[in-house]
Amino acid sequence: MAWDEWERAKTAARDDREVTTRLNQAPAAGSAEDGDLVVNQDDLGAVGHEAAILHGELKKRADIAGAGIDQNGAGSTMRAAAALKSRNLALGAELELTVEVWTSQVKYVLQACAHISNHLDYSKKLHAQEDARIAAELKGRTGPPSVSALNDYFK
């Protein structure tokens, strides 16, 4: 925001003397009235679920080291690398290195997906518990909550 925009906004706010107070309700769900970031529990669950699906699919489809595994536990790509190395071709060592790097990167992405899924599931549960606790506290009071009681929830 430019300085002159800021000055115009301050003047407009000073000229507009109408003040509204809303103590007993929050804006409607999905409202961007106050510009705050809003995340619903359903959103957290949906993203966590998608991360879990991605984890499962990636684990099944990205394992090139284990693809075409034989009775000795070697995948087809690693067997090809071994065959190339046995014929003194540099490509064999490079293919082996490629599989090792790919496998480590896939493990990293799998860990990230699991972390995201677990964290969002935890966050969803934690926020639901916190909402239930706040609602129970506010229901136990007689009359509307005081401003100081509401202020405790903004810390």
Side-chain angles (χ1 to χ4, degrees):
M1 175 180 283
W3 184 258
D4 57 331
E5 268 184 290
W6 174 246
E7 290 300 323
R8 283 194 306 266
K10 286 189 335 185
T11 303
R14 194 174 25 246
D15 293 343
D16 184 15
R17 296 287 181 208
E18 181 182 336
V19 177
T20 59
T21 304
R22 182 179 43 215
L23 292 178
N24 293 330
Q25 73 183 49
S31 168
E33 182 177 317
D34 57 4
D36 285 343
L37 175 64
V38 176
V39 177
N40 297 316
Q41 290 179 15
D42 291 342
D43 297 335
L44 295 176
V47 173
H49 179 70
E50 290 299 320
I53 290 172
L54 177 60
H55 180 275
E57 289 297 313
L58 186 62
K59 190 171 184 170
K60 282 192 293 189
R61 298 174 188 232
D63 182 16
I64 63 171
I69 200 162
D70 64 6
Q71 66 273 12
N72 297 326
S76 59
T77 307
M78 290 304 277
R79 287 195 314 270
L84 290 168
K85 281 173 66 175
S86 71
R87 290 177 175 81
N88 295 322
L89 295 170
L91 180 60
E94 296 303 320
L95 183 57
E96 193 174 83
L97 178 63
T98 301
V99 170
E100 290 170 4
V101 170
W102 174 263
T103 300
S104 72
Q105 294 298 311
V106 167
K107 285 179 182 177
Y108 179 78
V109 173
L110 286 171
Q111 288 173 347
C113 288
H115 180 74
I116 290 167
S117 178
N118 292 340
H119 180 71
L120 291 176
D121 287 345
Y122 173 78
S123 295
K124 180 181 175 183
K125 182 179 177 183
L126 183 68
H127 289 301
Q129 291 171 344
E130 184 71 6
D131 287 347
R133 184 186 66 77
I134 291 170
E137 282 184 21
L138 292 177
K139 283 181 184 176
R141 297 179 186 272
T142 55
S146 67
V147 173
S148 61
L150 289 174
N151 191 42
D152 290 343
Y153 296 110
F154 293 113
K155 293 180 180 176

